[in-house]
Amino acid sequence: MWSLKSWQGRYLPHPATAEQRLRAYAGWCDAVEGNTTFYATPARTTVESWARQTDPDFRFVVKLPKPITHERRLVGADAELRAFLHAIEPLGPRTHAVWLQLPGSFTPADVPTLAAFLHRLPAEHRYAVEVRHRAFFDDDRAARQLEDLLAAADAEWVPFDTVAFFRSPPTSDAEREAWTKKPRMPHRSRALTDRPIVRYLGRDDTTATVEGWQPWVATVTGWLREGRSPTFFLHTPDNADAPDLARRFHDEVRAHVPDLPPLPQPLSTEPLTLF
């Protein structure tokens, strides 16, 4: 996300190197989805540069590569898994969770495969699982089976809330494109661990996005009061205003939990220098 063109010169300096853009992004938000790792395991030197540009308490939620989760479906991928974990090692404490986004074809019948995979994972990381098959949401028995497995592994269930997005037909090109690609997922707000992670998709219209996240303000407030440490990722179809919206969400939660630390102070969007 720190390379999004629409952010350059607005949230991020322009022109700037990738290293400078990440540093600037970390002044707006203190967490990022490592979505690009789904498409390719990054070079270890690249990850070392990510670590240099962020504080130790910055949160990376890094997605396992597609060959592990979607092509091999968690079976026979030990070599790919070792390579990925070796690559992200320089992040150290910044690896808030390793994220397993499973395909929509991954059904409750595949839960034993997930159990075996989680059992083999090294204990030094926390893990979070995102499922998209509707049976996990519509069938109470399937939901309990998955919850029991994840809770036993101290792994979190990541909800991807697209309710607000699909509430009314699309009104922009970005929304029309997302309409054909994003899954229709229900609202789910039960935390299994002390580190819940939420993915929320709003609309290009700010009013609709803010209205849609109101239940999450209450839920995240409750989690914080329980002593949990939630991470909330906010998306819109074009993501043009996402940093401002993320900070607005944080401010709404902070109004209910005054002890919640503020987000960092954004850096100037003037071109950054190394000296």
Side-chain angles (χ1 to χ4, degrees):
M1 291 303 295
W2 60 77
S3 294
L4 195 67
K5 288 184 178 179
S6 62
W7 291 3
Q8 296 177 25
R10 182 182 177 193
Y11 301 118
L12 312 175
H14 181 73
T17 65
E19 208 167 83
Q20 291 168 333
R21 288 194 291 267
L22 172 54
R23 184 190 303 149
Y25 172 89
W28 284 92
C29 300
D30 56 7
V32 72
E33 289 180 341
N35 201 42
T36 58
T37 59
F38 178 70
Y39 300 100
T41 294
R44 188 178 169 104
T45 53
T46 298
V47 179
E48 289 170 350
S49 75
W50 297 349
R52 287 195 302 269
Q53 297 305 307
T54 52
D55 292 335
D57 58 354
F58 185 88
R59 299 179 180 187
F60 285 85
V61 177
V62 287
K63 190 187 293 189
L64 279 182
K66 182 178 181 179
I68 299 173
T69 55
H70 286 57
E71 296 172 7
R72 295 183 179 269
R73 296 174 66 88
L74 309 182
V75 176
D78 289 351
E80 292 88 345
L81 178 63
R82 283 194 300 271
F84 177 76
L85 295 178
H86 175 73
I88 67 169
E89 190 177 27
L91 291 178
R94 299 167 187 81
T95 302
H96 187 70
V98 174
W99 169 25
L100 290 71
Q101 185 185 79
L102 299 174
S105 60
F106 196 93
T107 75
D110 297 307
V111 166
T113 301
L114 175 61
F117 184 79
L118 291 174
H119 181 72
R120 297 197 305 273
L121 292 175
E124 59 260 32
H125 291 298
R126 300 286 292 268
Y127 301 95
V129 176
E130 179 185 341
V131 292
R132 294 188 169 184
H133 195 280
R134 287 299 297 243
F136 288 113
F137 303 90
D138 299 336
D139 184 330
D140 290 342
R141 184 173 178 274
R144 286 195 303 271
Q145 181 186 24
L146 180 59
E147 286 180 350
D148 290 347
L149 165 63
L150 296 178
D154 197 27
E156 191 53 78
W157 181 335
V158 181
F160 182 27
D161 183 3
T162 62
V163 173
F165 175 70
F166 286 107
R167 187 164 287 150
S168 59
T171 59
S172 68
D173 289 343
E175 288 188 348
R176 280 185 281 273
E177 182 179 4
W179 193 270
T180 65
K181 295 181 177 180
K182 301 300 183 183
R184 294 178 182 249
M185 306 304 298
H187 182 91
R188 184 188 185 280
S189 58
R190 182 177 178 185
L192 303 180
T193 72
D194 62 347
R195 294 186 182 187
I197 299 170
V198 176
R199 307 183 67 230
Y200 168 77
L201 176 63
R203 300 294 295 257
D204 285 341
D205 176 62
T206 296
T207 299
T209 298
V210 173
E211 288 176 354
W213 79 36
Q214 291 309 308
W216 287 113
V217 172
T219 296
V220 170
T221 295
W223 284 341
L224 288 166
R225 288 173 175 165
E226 292 168 358
R228 302 181 196 265
S229 182
T231 305
F232 188 88
F233 291 117
L234 185 146
H235 296 270
T236 64
D238 64 10
N239 280 316
D241 300 321
D244 274 325
L245 289 168
R247 294 177 74 86
R248 178 170 174 177
F249 179 86
H250 186 275
D251 287 343
E252 288 195 18
V253 172
R254 196 163 178 247
H256 298 282
V257 189
D259 291 341
L260 181 66
L263 287 172
Q265 184 64 33
L267 299 173
S268 169
T269 56
E270 295 298 317
L272 299 175
T273 63
L274 296 177
F275 305 100

